[in-house]
Amino acid sequence: MDIKTVCRRHQAKIIATVGPASDKPELIAQMIREGATLFRINLSHSSKQEAIRLFKVIRDGSALAGQNVGIIADIPGPKLRVSGLTEPIVLKAGDQLCLVQEGCPSCDYPVDNAISLNYPEIIEDVNVTEFLFIDDGNIRLRAIDKESYYVLFEALNDGIVKPNKGVHLPRTHLRIGFPTQEDLDWVEFLCENDLCDFMALSYIRSVGDVQRIKEIIKEKKKNIFLIAKIEKHEAITHLEEIAQAAYGIMVARGDLGIELPLEDIPHIQKKIIRFCNQMGIPVITATQMLESMVESPTPTRAETADIANAILDGSDAVMLSAETAISRDPVQVIKTMRKIIEKTESHIDYQKLIDERSRFVQNDVSDAIANGASRIAKTINASCIVCLTSSGSTARRISKYRPQVPIYSMTNNANIINVCELMWGVIPLHVPLTDNVQESIAIAVKYLVDFHQAKKGDRIVFTLGLPMGVSGSTNLIQVLVVGS
Ligand code: PGA
Ligand code: MN
């Protein structure tokens, strides 16, 4: 890609969900120009044919903008819904509702109000005193009695149960989990058609859920990286193992806010981000960041503060859902988010940040090199850090230390360019490097000078590994003064 088009000033990355409001290449290109570096397709709203079209729209938009982007395919996971209901049921607090097995009409139920779910085994899984939340928690019920063929619930508030609404059981351990057969079909389909750079895994509960998909991708010999969505209480319990197995983590506040009391979300967000920051794992804060902009041209004060706080918490990326998928002006949404990020970052104390992060350097050559390069860049006022990398892993490690200057991740491996788009502060560039170190450094410097990203007298910190081109071999730091 042409570095002239890389005019990014913000370091935290922006992820935009593509939907009916944004599914045109021209719009995608405008969103990229305003600062979006990754696009997400939520596959729960999509057929395979439609997905293929959307992936193409994003790649076409990227070509139009002259800038690469990362694509995240969001695998739906088990989504429970009300099934077998034709007419809405009006409930008042205290009313009873029976959860029944579909196709069991002759059974004798205690009340007429009855619904089923698209998961018949639910009757066995639920226990008395557990909760049933319908429609994003708008209707809340508690189980008060149970027989082998039904569970009786009592409504805790007024509401109308409508057909096909989503359902959550925040206290129940469900035997159905990620991945469903449909999820496995998506994984296979995405691999076979080379459609995405990342897969986001919904409703995962354990490290095994992540490993299972990782193995399928490995068998298919694909370069697709996994983002574990933390949106179940079990996933919070197993955060450490999950984060270590996945490539990145998403704080999926939408579903988390149903699984847990809302007031728990801010501190859990901070806890997840802190852990990922210490481990150097990219972490995304998601959901409702600019929700009011689905309808309105400007955000609320609270939303503005939420984005700023997510950045200050240490998010590597922030995500937009309905705001770019079904809103009135997705380009304006990206612009708004970018401006908030830029202003917030302009107030960061980078010296303090790198000092804090340096406490978590690992006993590992690449990590130590990344930390050293970031500290040297700060001490000598370097204009940028350039990592010559074949896997992008050094760029990811440098990103962990949050240097103030751009991190150019230069590679001749086109396959990893898009993946680097998730990394905080990293600008991936496809540059024709060679096996020779001094030659490659000269090519890199010429590239930056030609595109006005470095000038005579600038100090540049390089990280690289010998032998060149071998992944995971980073073992050198070199400082170069341009033109000397
Ligand atoms: P979703 O995930 O948008 O796919 O539900 C994000 C969330 O739950 O916050
Ligand atoms: Mn979710």
Side-chain angles (χ1 to χ4, degrees), residues 8-14 35 37-38 311 315-318 338 341-348 350 353 399 401-407 420-427:
R8 259 176 262 141
R9 289 283 168 266
H10 55 108
Q11 293 159 306
K13 300 299 177 77
I14 300 176
T37 55
L38 299 115
I311 300 301
S315 308
D316 289 80
V318 278
R338 190 217 347 118
I341 297 173
E342 280 174 353
K343 187 47 73 86
T344 306
E345 288 175 343
S346 76
H347 289 277
I348 289 178
Y350 284 89
L353 192 54
S399 170
Y401 296 103
R402 302 295 199 246
Q404 187 164 8
V405 292
I407 306 161
C420 293
E421 288 298 352
L422 182 61
M423 300 170 191
W424 182 101
V426 173
I427 299 173

Side-chain angles (χ1 to χ4, degrees), residues 40 42 74 229 231 252-255 287:
R40 174 181 83 128
N42 187 350
D74 200 321
K229 292 167 75 176
E231 51 187 343
R253 303 187 299 184
D255 280 285
T287 308

Side-chain angles (χ1 to χ4, degrees), residues 410-432:
M410 294 199 187
T411 180
N412 48 15
N413 178 1
N415 291 330
I416 65 145
I417 293 279
N418 296 345
V419 174
C420 293
E421 288 298 352
L422 182 61
M423 300 170 191
W424 182 101
V426 173
I427 299 173
L429 298 169
H430 191 197
V431 180

Side-chain angles (χ1 to χ4, degrees), residues 287-408:
T287 308
Q288 289 186 343
M289 300 209 86
L290 285 174
E291 188 71 15
S292 71
M293 288 190 78
V294 170
E295 308 281 351
S296 152
T298 53
T300 66
R301 310 316 180 241
E303 286 163 346
T304 309
D306 177 47
I307 294 173
N309 284 323
I311 300 301
L312 296 174
D313 284 345
S315 308
D316 289 80
V318 278
M319 191 172 101
L320 298 156
S321 301
E323 301 94 322
T324 47
I326 51 166
S327 60
R328 49 186 293 288
D329 189 349
V331 178
Q332 186 61 28
V333 168
I334 300 286
K335 187 173 177 180
T336 304
M337 185 170 244
R338 190 217 347 118
K339 283 165 70 181
I340 300 168
I341 297 173
E342 280 174 353
K343 187 47 73 86
T344 306
E345 288 175 343
S346 76
H347 289 277
I348 289 178
D349 179 346
Y350 284 89
Q351 182 66 57
K352 192 166 154 229
L353 192 54
I354 197 169
D355 288 344
E356 271 168 24
R357 295 295 177 99
S358 295
R359 289 183 12 234
F360 303 106
V361 61
Q362 290 160 15
N363 179 358
D364 170 283
V365 175
S366 307
D367 204 43
I369 294 272
N371 180 245
S374 308
R375 295 186 74 100
I376 291 171
K378 182 80 196 163
T379 311
I380 65 169
N381 255 326
S383 62
C384 61
I385 301 173
V386 175
C387 60
L388 306 182
T389 176
S390 58
S391 68
S393 72
T394 308
R396 174 171 143 163
R397 287 184 184 277
I398 296 174
S399 170
K400 169 180 168 188
Y401 296 103
R402 302 295 199 246
Q404 187 164 8
V405 292
I407 306 161
Y408 294 110

